[in-house]
Amino acid sequence: MTETTIKSDIIKPENLVYKKTDLMTDKVLSYCPGCGHGTTHRIVMEVIEEMGLMEDTIGIAPVGCSVLAYEFMNVDMQQAAHGRAPALATAVKRLMPHKTVFTYQGDGDLAAIGTAETIHAANRGENITIIFINNGIYGMTGGQMAPTTLPGMKSSTSPYGRDLDMMGHPLKITELVAQLPGTHFVTRQAVHTPANVRKTKKAIRKAFELQQQKVGMTFIEVVSNCNSGWKMTPVQANQWMVENMFPFYPLGDIKVDGEILKNN
Amino acid sequence: MEKELRLMKGNEAFGEAAIRAGTDGYFGYPITPQSEVMEYLMAEKPHERTGMVVLQAESEVASINMLYGGASCGKKVMTSSSSPGISLMQEGISYMAGAELPCVILNVVRGGPGLGTIQPSQSDYFQSTKGGGHGDYRLITIAPSSVQEMYDSVKLGFDLAFKYRNPVLVLSDGAIGQMMEKVEIDKQVPRHTEEEIRDKYPWATLGRYKGRERNIITSLDLDPARQERHNEALQRKYSEIEKNEVRFEKINCDDAEYIFVAYGTSARICQKSMQLARKKGIKVGILRPITLFPFPYAQVEEMAEQVKGILSVEMSAGQMVEDILLAVKGKTRVEHYGRMGGIIPSPAEVVTALEQKFMKG
């Protein structure tokens, strides 16, 4: 009885310090505990809510772990064939230039099967925002080698580690996309600490603001973990990501205002 | 008002029809023998005429997925290609069939398999009418046999595509695409406004307007029971289409002892063959399917009860003949005559084939 009284005393609007955005549905996330997808979904939706864009936003879900993004993101959504999200987004934006259009894609989707769609949408300078989750692995299908898998990194199709002679090199597609004149803002972020979440959210907001100015493609890579695919605990996975992924995929802005930054 | 008549190539007529029908977007990739469609559209500046978007994509794979994106917004979108390009689109077409998205796809068929030839053929009949990509689905397939019908197939295509929320394939060929004929041009149909799309197509992803539930366009459902129900609903839709949308033309069938069943360019050749045969005293008629899915099974069966034989004339190894055999149910003799690899049969050789297959020995 005492407990109930205390609870009802606490749950009052004036005591509210955090509230889940209405643009995330109540559906239980299909992502593994510790995965960066959930956080990234939330901040994308928070930005759309804060900017008041709900009525004019169309999101495109990929094939991969986030294939069901439309179950969680409470805006109008289309689910694309594997790798083709930028082609869908191109048409949506061309046909309705006043809408906010984003794709949400993983590294297998965006940097392997969808390389052509990614590069050409970027090169045409489509006024869309691409949110690119890079966890160096195919998560949904059970942890196979991705175009982004690090040298020596183990996966179910590189069980002895990625052998560069046999399997080729990891692809830094974000640096590649930054080279194209059609991109305006290209950045690489992460969501493993509260500070990084804030930075990523800021970058997403900037991208959506730039989209309204019709200055070309905005592209945000989020380096993320895959604790189940990497066969680690969430804490280990984040540590491994900091020690191994970040040196290869360094965080920070790559292209700002259409200019590639000097250190890139 | 006086009719507007023009002399046009089939491919150009298709492009002009696209603008006049109030199409919102065309997305394509060059391939012979249909490149005139996009060339015509680009030259016409439809963006200035109606606000229509015309975009040259990086591949047919991208084109068809642009259609997926545009169609998901309730927009009238179309593409055109030729056989190898249409093969590349099959994945996207399957997704659009699964997600129940309307669009018009033109295939100006060339001979295959592989890179094949750039000359006309009808060897994509199976791909067009039996599915084409993965999964249990059908495309409404319209087969024009004149430049006028190329033109008319755009409006008919969009009407059927939106009525049934299903992709429509216009199955033309290199001859119809390249030849020039007189075309009667419609007056301009205005493009739908966003408000009109909201009213007509409440499923369209235009943004979560005024607090409505979100709209989702997907072909995915991981739950087998729900996925089966979805498939059953698709099959019911295809049955409705079979019931309502069969289109065909009968020429001189009343007294016919033999009929040619042929579509597209072959049907044009058969008109001359029919005249040659009748001069020789052979009573021949033509049954021309205009829709290939739905196929005019009942009409072919009805003719089977009247005639001594049916000759299926196709520029293929014999694909439509399988549907004729299904329709005829053994009630009369059915033979196939066809040329492949981009060869167009002459009217005389079709008559010879008729005589050899049905009247010798």
Side-chain angles (χ1 to χ4, degrees):
Chain A
M1 193 66 202
T2 326
E3 213 173 285
T4 321
T5 319
I6 292 165
K7 239 182 179 176
S8 64
D9 274 351
I10 293 169
I11 304 172
K12 283 177 181 163
E14 61 267 31
N15 291 338
L16 191 69
V17 288
Y18 175 78
K19 183 177 171 287
K20 178 173 76 73
T21 164
D22 288 340
L23 295 190
M24 283 295 283
T25 64
D26 290 330
K27 185 135 183 150
V28 176
L29 289 173
S30 53
Y31 304 112
C32 306
C35 170
H37 269 304
T39 307
T40 313
H41 276 33
R42 173 172 62 78
I43 55 179
V44 173
M45 288 300 109
E46 281 176 358
V47 168
I48 290 169
E49 186 181 42
E50 287 160 18
M51 291 176 70
L53 296 172
M54 180 194 81
E55 291 191 356
D56 282 317
T57 296
I58 293 110
I60 321 277
V63 169
C65 282
S66 45
V67 65
L68 292 170
Y70 60 79
E71 296 272 11
F72 317 120
M73 296 179 171
N74 205 356
V75 294
D76 273 9
M77 295 287 292
Q78 305 178 6
Q79 196 281 310
H82 201 16
R84 316 300 176 215
L88 273 66
T90 293
V92 174
K93 189 70 178 185
R94 293 261 180 164
L95 290 163
M96 301 186 295
H98 55 290
K99 303 283 181 187
T100 298
V101 182
F102 73 92
T103 72
Y104 187 101
Q105 303 174 257
D107 42 330
D109 190 86
L110 181 141
I113 197 164
T115 311
E117 285 77 9
T118 304
I119 297 286
H120 284 279
N123 200 43
R124 285 191 303 262
E126 301 294 346
N127 284 303
I128 58 172
T129 299
I130 290 183
I131 315 279
F132 166 42
I133 307 293
N134 175 11
N135 56 13
I137 205 158
Y138 284 85
M140 185 65 144
T141 42
Q144 293 81 12
M145 184 180 71
T148 44
T149 299
L150 296 178
M153 184 174 164
K154 285 180 181 170
S155 74
S156 70
T157 52
S158 58
Y160 308 106
R162 182 176 194 147
D163 175 343
L164 295 185
D165 288 338
M166 190 163 94
M167 299 158 178
H169 296 263
L171 182 61
K172 293 185 180 179
I173 197 152
T174 305
E175 278 81 353
L176 211 154
V177 157
Q179 296 295 323
L180 304 172
T183 52
H184 187 84
F185 173 53
V186 180
T187 187
R188 182 183 283 124
Q189 301 292 336
V191 291
H192 64 303
T193 69
N196 286 92
V197 171
R198 279 195 295 275
K199 272 190 185 171
T200 306
K201 188 173 168 182
K202 225 172 126 185
I204 293 168
R205 187 176 177 112
K206 181 174 176 174
F208 283 153
E209 283 169 357
L210 287 167
Q211 189 181 143
Q212 292 177 331
Q213 294 167 29
K214 300 184 168 53
V215 286
M217 182 182 280
T218 45
F219 191 100
I220 297 160
E221 174 178 339
V222 179
V223 180
S224 192
N225 57 4
C226 179
N227 37 290
S228 36
W230 296 354
K231 314 250 182 283
M232 296 175 195
T233 66
V235 174
Q236 286 170 340
N238 274 345
Q239 245 164 15
W240 194 90
M241 176 175 72
V242 172
E243 286 162 14
N244 297 278
M245 293 284 277
F246 290 175
F248 197 86
Y249 299 112
L251 303 188
D253 291 345
I254 296 171
K255 190 178 194 180
V256 177
D257 295 333
E259 298 290 336
I260 295 176
L261 300 185
K262 275 208 178 101
N263 54 348
N264 282 289
Chain B
M1 201 182 104
E2 238 178 86
K3 282 176 187 170
E4 187 183 347
L5 293 174
R6 284 194 210 169
L7 183 67
M8 299 183 99
K9 270 190 174 192
N11 289 337
E12 295 167 348
F14 195 84
E16 181 61 29
I19 303 171
R20 298 275 174 148
T23 303
D24 296 300
Y26 170 95
F27 305 89
Y29 185 83
I31 181 171
T32 308
Q34 65 76 50
S35 297
E36 294 86 356
V37 178
M38 187 163 40
E39 286 170 352
Y40 181 87
L41 283 170
M42 287 292 189
E44 278 296 312
K45 298 185 181 171
H47 192 75
E48 289 174 14
R49 281 175 61 180
T50 65
M52 176 182 172
V53 170
V54 183
L55 183 65
Q56 181 168 336
E58 63 271 31
S59 67
E60 290 90 347
V61 175
S63 311
I64 192 69
N65 284 286
M66 289 172 182
L67 261 60
Y68 185 109
S72 297
C73 302
K75 298 283 182 179
K76 280 185 177 175
V77 285
M78 60 154 58
T79 187
S80 62
S81 188
S82 180
S83 308
I86 297 288
S87 291
L88 273 173
M89 290 184 189
Q90 292 303 325
E91 177 202 36
I93 295 173
S94 169
Y95 275 67
M96 292 188 82
E100 298 194 83
L101 292 173
C103 67
V104 173
I105 302 157
L106 169 66
N107 184 1
V108 182
V109 180
R110 55 190 259 183
L115 205 47
T117 170
I118 58 171
Q119 300 300 328
S121 184
Q122 294 182 313
S123 46
D124 296 352
Y125 180 92
F126 285 153
Q127 185 197 54
S128 313
T129 60
K130 308 296 178 190
H134 60 283
D136 280 316
Y137 74 91
R138 299 289 191 149
L139 302 178
I140 299 168
T141 307
I142 305 168
S145 84
S146 66
V147 174
Q148 183 69 54
E149 282 191 349
M150 270 288 259
Y151 183 94
D152 296 339
S153 67
V154 174
K155 186 184 176 300
L156 175 62
F158 277 125
D159 286 350
L160 294 175
F162 278 91
K163 181 175 175 189
Y164 294 101
R165 274 190 72 179
N166 205 70
V168 167
L169 187 88
V170 178
L171 190 66
S172 183
D173 62 61
I176 308 281
Q178 293 295 326
M179 72 185 185
M180 294 186 88
E181 287 185 315
K182 187 178 69 178
V183 192
E184 192 182 320
I185 307 285
D186 296 321
K187 52 179 199 276
Q188 181 65 50
V189 174
R191 291 173 53 238
H192 283 146
T193 63
E194 203 171 309
E195 287 66 37
E196 285 169 332
I197 293 173
R198 263 200 199 100
D199 287 347
K200 286 170 89 86
Y201 315 121
W203 46 265
T205 51
L206 297 162
R208 247 188 84 193
Y209 186 66
K210 287 195 174 152
R212 68 150 163 76
E213 291 292 297
R214 73 193 187 287
N215 279 342
I216 298 166
I217 301 292
T218 182
S219 60
L220 176 74
D221 199 327
L222 292 170
D223 180 84
R226 280 202 307 261
Q227 186 58 260
E228 187 179 47
R229 281 199 295 279
H230 171 59
N231 267 272
E232 286 165 352
L234 289 179
Q235 293 304 316
R236 281 195 297 277
K237 177 169 83 174
Y238 305 144
S239 298
E240 274 298 294
I241 293 168
E242 287 183 291
K243 211 166 70 191
N244 301 334
E245 307 301 344
V246 172
R247 285 167 172 77
F248 61 94
E249 182 188 17
K250 277 162 105 174
I251 308 166
N252 288 342
C253 283
D254 287 350
D255 67 339
E257 293 179 347
Y258 298 92
I259 57 163
F260 298 130
V261 178
Y263 68 94
T265 291
S266 292
R268 295 294 288 274
I269 293 158
C270 283
Q271 290 209 23
K272 186 71 186 170
S273 306
M274 179 184 68
Q275 289 168 9
L276 295 176
R278 282 193 173 253
K279 264 186 200 161
K280 287 181 159 187
I282 311 166
K283 288 181 181 165
V284 178
I286 297 172
L287 196 156
R288 176 172 76 91
I290 296 171
T291 51
L292 300 177
F293 180 84
F295 187 79
Y297 288 110
Q299 290 73 21
V300 173
E301 186 182 4
E302 195 187 3
M303 288 311 301
E305 286 162 4
Q306 173 190 322
V307 299
K308 294 178 188 167
I310 294 176
L311 185 65
S312 180
V313 183
E314 309 168 61
M315 297 189 298
S316 76
Q319 300 190 14
M320 181 179 65
V321 69
E322 294 191 6
D323 278 327
I324 297 171
L325 285 163
L326 278 175
V328 164
K329 297 173 189 148
K331 289 176 182 169
T332 192
R333 272 185 64 196
V334 176
E335 297 284 349
H336 159 76
Y337 181 70
R339 298 295 300 268
M340 293 175 281
I343 299 286
I344 300 173
S346 73
E349 72 179 272
V350 173
V351 178
T352 307
L354 179 75
E355 290 172 322
Q356 281 179 348
K357 286 174 191 283
F358 290 98
M359 293 158 216
K360 296 261 163 75

